[in-house]
Amino acid sequence: MAFLDSIWVRGEDYATVMVQLADDTLLRYEVKPGETLPQLPSYESTETWIVHGWHNKVTEEPFDITGPIYEDTEIYLKHSTLAEGAQP
């Protein structure tokens, strides 16, 4: 109720951040402008899976998940897989 009251009663603004995890799960966060995202899951590269980090879905640029949010944003975990026997 506190979140809805902040929007409907007090008229506070929020930026929507859509986060696509490695397994294609979508998370939605409502963040006050200037605030940061809560801690997102951590992923590490393996012998067959390479993590390239969080990226902006529209611009394809790397996205700093610790930085302040000021506008609606879509991010995803950029990763790639290696064929068996391939070199990273």
Side-chain angles (χ1 to χ4, degrees):
M1 283 303 284
F3 171 70
L4 294 177
D5 281 348
S6 73
I7 293 173
W8 295 337
V9 176
R10 294 187 299 277
E12 294 177 357
D13 289 326
Y14 286 84
T16 300
V17 181
M18 298 299 295
V19 179
Q20 183 177 346
L21 302 179
D23 64 359
D24 290 333
T25 298
L26 288 175
L27 303 177
R28 178 184 176 137
Y29 294 96
E30 299 296 331
V31 181
K32 287 184 180 181
E35 291 186 352
T36 59
L37 287 171
Q39 185 172 347
L40 296 177
S42 177
Y43 296 92
E44 294 184 20
S45 296
T46 66
E47 291 180 9
T48 59
W49 200 70
I50 299 173
V51 174
H52 304 284
W54 296 99
H55 282 69
N56 183 299
K57 198 168 189 176
V58 174
T59 65
E60 292 293 325
E61 294 177 358
F63 185 84
D64 178 7
I65 61 171
T66 64
I69 305 292
Y70 292 100
E71 61 187 11
D72 294 348
T73 307
E74 294 182 56
I75 63 173
Y76 71 101
L77 184 73
K78 187 172 185 176
H79 59 88
S80 57
T81 56
L82 292 174
E84 191 170 322
Q87 297 295 317

